[in-house]
Amino acid sequence: MKEIFAGGAPPAPAALAAKVRTLAPSMTRSMQRVAEAVAGDPAGTAALTVTGLAELTGTSEATVVRTARLLGYPGYRDLRLALAGLAAQQQSGRAPAVTADIAVDDPIADVVAKLAYDEQQTLADTAAALDTVQLGAAVSALASARRVEVYGVAASGLVAQDLVQKLLRIGQVAHAHSDPHLAVTNAVTLRAKDVAIAITHSGSTGDVIEPLRVAFEHGATTVAITGRPDGLVSQYADHILTTSTARESELRPAAMSSRTSQLLVVDCLFVGVAQRTYETAAPALAASYEALAHRHSPRGGTGR
Amino acid sequence: MKEIFAGGAPPAPAALAAKVRTLAPSMTRSMQRVAEAVAGDPAGTAALTVTGLAELTGTSEATVVRTARLLGYPGYRDLRLALAGLAAQQQSGRAPAVTADIAVDDPIADVVAKLAYDEQQTLADTAAALDTVQLGAAVSALASARRVEVYGVAASGLVAQDLVQKLLRIGQVAHAHSDPHLAVTNAVTLRAKDVAIAITHSGSTGDVIEPLRVAFEHGATTVAITGRPDGLVSQYADHILTTSTARESELRPAAMSSRTSQLLVVDCLFVGVAQRTYETAAPALAASYEALAHRHSPRGGTGR
DNA sequence: TCACTCCTGAAAGATATTTTCGGCGCGGGT
DNA sequence: ACCCGCGCCGAAAATATCTTTCAGGAGTGA
């Protein structure tokens, strides 16, 4: 007997479709075929043996096993078990109903419904796939950080600012950087006890990786929030938080769902830190709320 | 073959426990032990191999297989698969137990689940409450706008920037302002055919209302994205888009759900505009994607 | 074009499952 | 009380399934 059960990484409950999407880009062609079959028909796949699935996808047993490994399972046997579970869930639960893409001539009401549904899906996927161990580690680092620097450009830059705004509210020293040069300049000044966070969906945004690398080499604790955990950015990250990737279409750029996903992660970080530092966080939150009250006109209902 | 019971009956969906009880009397002692273990802890049993389950119940592999047969499965392998499904169902069944507020001592996994759930709820609420007529009107105004100015401070400022980033991608002329003075300065330059958008959750943020008022009085088309449609900001808005407000708690500031809600509205605006201006928007989107490609390191999907 | 890297599948090797087969306990007959 | 037969039970062989190894080959950059 080997591999009792628990350990560092739980295989994956039902966030399989999400995981497939997240990892698909880093897969080779044949592995993608396997992953596609698995994600497309969990129930059917669960009924197949390695050999059967290999034949179905026109690949070999080895490839199937490799795919299972990549998805986080010890082997095909375990993937199959998870698949059976997923199938059962789908069976009992309401039909997941694949949402149609947004078309150019969709009425506005459909657009609202589809976007809302997609973002909900993204949230569910992200939550399911989020590694709570990594998250916990990142929270610990932040809670005891002397100073926090967050790097992100474009859409991820806004997420970085969002995190910083939140951290500032609970009395943490935090800054966001979207200027690559200034970011590197800033990273050089970091030491142990400081935390650097890089946010990049692609995992390969040079402008963000560079400052993280510098911070890493200067001994700071580094965290990466990325949709591609196999990306270059992970090389310099002590803790990796994976965001999920949703399908995108012409009218629905990837930035949309990655942002939703990143914000959820950021919120989790924030709440985690607020919990750990409750003694100081709670009064700080109250104080910042109080300080802003007078900037709102008296009118407009106070109630609630 | 004897085939006493199985016959044409399907393996068994989830009524496994019932089946065990029904068949128990007709079982021999050791088989009962196996059946009991299976019914008692489906999840745990699903993790075991034949040998493991045999050892656990103090019986032999043969007995385990015989039990599986009696329960209607072709063999142990299939029983195990069904067991995994059952476990997954049970798991998901007790999921909705996380609707409570986030507490200081919640484990990190609960925090993730609760935040994700809350944000999903916020999205659903917002989508349901969004006035598509107002939204359509706002989209029309944006689609034919010569220039778009967006005002927002703090968290809403980030949403403003998000909208602007998106509009820029489809070739619209857009700017975000979070500096109240500059915002007003900017607002006085607006004319008809220009669009001004104010984003404020409270609906009473003076720093944002003021520029909107100025824009309104200069003849620009004005849009308010607010959680309080009865707030002061609405007085100067041609179109009002209402975001939903979720309950908040000490550890979960209102900014969190209002941001989610605002972003959904902003996404809807963006997609709506992109639809209306598809001829120019599509190439622009493609071009901006292309232009950024080289900023990502080539490496990404290699090994590991 | 050549060298190189990494993907890929065939087949060997390891595990898990199923089947076979003989032992043994238990009741009933003498 | 003893013997006989019935059928449950588990050890081990046989088979199926999964995993690993290894070498050929496609694609890529120089």
Side-chain angles (χ1 to χ4, degrees):
Chain A
M1 191 61 102
K2 62 170 187 180
E3 282 300 330
I4 313 293
F5 188 71
L16 217 156
K19 197 147 202 170
V20 168
R21 242 175 283 123
T22 305
L23 267 44
S26 67
M27 287 181 184
T28 63
R29 260 185 306 286
S30 10
M31 283 166 93
Q32 280 183 9
R33 280 216 299 287
V34 176
E36 201 174 313
V38 163
D41 181 15
T45 312
L48 294 168
T49 68
V50 210
T51 313
L53 183 53
E55 276 179 18
L56 179 72
T57 56
T59 63
S60 67
E61 292 98 327
T63 300
V64 172
V65 173
R66 276 192 282 262
T67 308
R69 291 265 162 74
L70 196 77
L71 290 174
Y73 301 90
Y76 176 70
R77 203 184 308 272
D78 303 80
L79 168 62
R80 200 175 161 186
L81 240 27
L83 240 31
L86 184 64
Q89 275 188 333
Q90 288 190 344
Q91 186 81 17
S92 71
R94 64 288 168 199
V98 277
T99 115
D101 265 349
I102 295 172
V104 182
D105 56 353
D106 271 347
I108 198 81
D110 282 14
V111 170
V112 174
K114 286 180 180 176
L115 281 177
Y117 180 86
D118 278 357
E119 301 211 353
Q120 286 186 39
Q121 202 59 48
T122 301
L123 285 172
D125 287 352
T126 305
L130 197 53
D131 184 335
T132 52
V133 176
Q134 293 280 307
L135 179 62
V139 166
S140 295
L142 278 176
S144 60
R146 186 173 49 192
R147 178 174 148 207
V148 181
E149 304 294 333
V150 192
Y151 311 117
V153 296
S156 300
L158 297 181
V159 177
Q161 288 185 50
D162 188 273
L163 174 57
V164 167
Q165 283 191 5
K166 287 189 170 64
L167 291 178
L168 288 175
R169 284 198 176 203
I170 55 174
Q172 294 239 329
V173 181
H175 297 104
H177 304 269
S178 55
D179 179 317
H181 288 226
L182 296 183
V184 172
T185 308
N186 164 273
V188 191
T189 68
L190 295 181
R191 298 287 177 272
K193 288 287 285 179
D194 293 331
V195 174
I197 302 179
I199 306 180
T200 160
H201 177 62
S202 69
S204 59
T205 312
D207 294 333
V208 169
I209 296 174
E210 191 56 18
L212 194 76
R213 184 183 65 76
V214 173
F216 183 74
E217 289 171 355
H218 278 77
T221 302
T222 55
V223 177
I225 299 178
T226 179
R228 296 285 304 273
D230 62 328
L232 198 55
V233 72
S234 305
Q235 283 194 291
Y236 311 113
D238 295 314
H239 310 297
I240 302 172
L241 301 176
T242 307
T243 54
S244 102
T245 316
R247 306 168 290 101
E248 58 186 286
S249 67
E250 195 172 16
L251 283 176
R252 188 176 192 287
M256 226 175 259
S257 73
S258 71
R259 181 207 60 198
T260 301
S261 192
Q262 289 170 349
L263 285 173
L264 176 63
V265 172
V266 157
D267 286 353
C268 292
L269 278 176
F270 166 70
V271 173
V273 173
Q275 285 181 324
R276 299 279 181 100
T277 63
Y278 188 77
E279 292 302 318
T280 55
L285 268 178
S288 72
Y289 180 83
E290 193 61 35
L292 286 176
H294 83 276
R295 296 198 73 90
H296 297 291
S297 339
R299 234 150 102 87
T302 51
R304 135 62 101 263
Chain B
M1 256 313 185
K2 335 187 182 179
E3 283 298 335
I4 301 169
F5 200 92
L16 215 157
K19 195 151 201 169
V20 168
R21 242 173 281 118
T22 309
L23 266 46
S26 68
M27 288 181 185
T28 63
R29 262 184 307 283
S30 10
M31 282 167 89
Q32 279 182 11
R33 280 217 302 287
V34 175
E36 201 175 315
V38 163
D41 181 15
T45 312
L48 295 169
T49 67
V50 208
T51 314
L53 183 53
E55 274 179 19
L56 180 72
T57 57
T59 63
S60 68
E61 292 98 323
T63 300
V64 172
V65 173
R66 276 191 282 263
T67 308
R69 292 265 163 75
L70 196 75
L71 290 174
Y73 300 91
Y76 176 70
R77 203 186 309 272
D78 303 81
L79 168 62
R80 200 177 161 186
L81 241 28
L83 240 31
L86 185 63
Q89 274 188 334
Q90 291 187 343
Q91 186 79 16
S92 74
R94 59 173 105 88
V98 294
T99 52
D101 260 353
I102 295 172
V104 182
D105 55 353
D106 272 348
I108 198 82
D110 282 14
V111 170
V112 175
K114 287 178 179 178
L115 282 177
Y117 179 84
D118 279 356
E119 301 212 353
Q120 286 184 1
Q121 205 59 48
T122 302
L123 285 171
D125 289 350
T126 305
L130 197 54
D131 183 336
T132 53
V133 176
Q134 292 282 306
L135 179 63
V139 166
S140 295
L142 279 175
S144 59
R146 186 174 49 192
R147 176 174 148 206
V148 181
E149 304 294 333
V150 191
Y151 310 117
V153 297
S156 300
L158 298 181
V159 177
Q161 288 185 50
D162 188 272
L163 174 57
V164 167
Q165 283 192 3
K166 287 187 169 67
L167 291 178
L168 288 176
R169 284 199 176 203
I170 54 174
Q172 295 239 328
V173 181
H175 297 104
H177 304 270
S178 56
D179 180 316
H181 289 225
L182 296 183
V184 172
T185 308
N186 164 271
V188 296
T189 69
L190 296 181
R191 298 288 177 272
K193 289 287 286 181
D194 292 332
V195 174
I197 302 179
I199 306 180
T200 161
H201 177 62
S202 69
S204 59
T205 312
D207 295 332
V208 169
I209 296 174
E210 191 56 18
L212 194 76
R213 185 182 63 77
V214 173
F216 183 73
E217 290 171 354
H218 278 76
T221 302
T222 55
V223 177
I225 299 177
T226 180
R228 298 291 301 271
D230 61 332
L232 199 55
V233 73
S234 305
Q235 286 194 294
Y236 311 112
D238 294 313
H239 309 295
I240 302 172
L241 301 175
T242 308
T243 55
S244 97
T245 315
R247 69 207 156 66
E248 55 187 288
S249 68
E250 195 171 15
L251 282 175
R252 188 175 191 287
M256 227 174 257
S257 72
S258 70
R259 181 207 58 199
T260 301
S261 192
Q262 289 170 350
L263 285 172
L264 177 63
V265 172
V266 155
D267 286 352
C268 291
L269 278 176
F270 166 72
V271 173
V273 173
Q275 284 181 324
R276 300 281 181 98
T277 62
Y278 188 76
E279 292 302 317
T280 55
L285 268 178
S288 71
Y289 179 83
E290 193 60 35
L292 286 175
H294 83 276
R295 295 200 72 90
H296 298 291
S297 338
R299 281 188 182 284
T302 61
R304 224 269 283 252

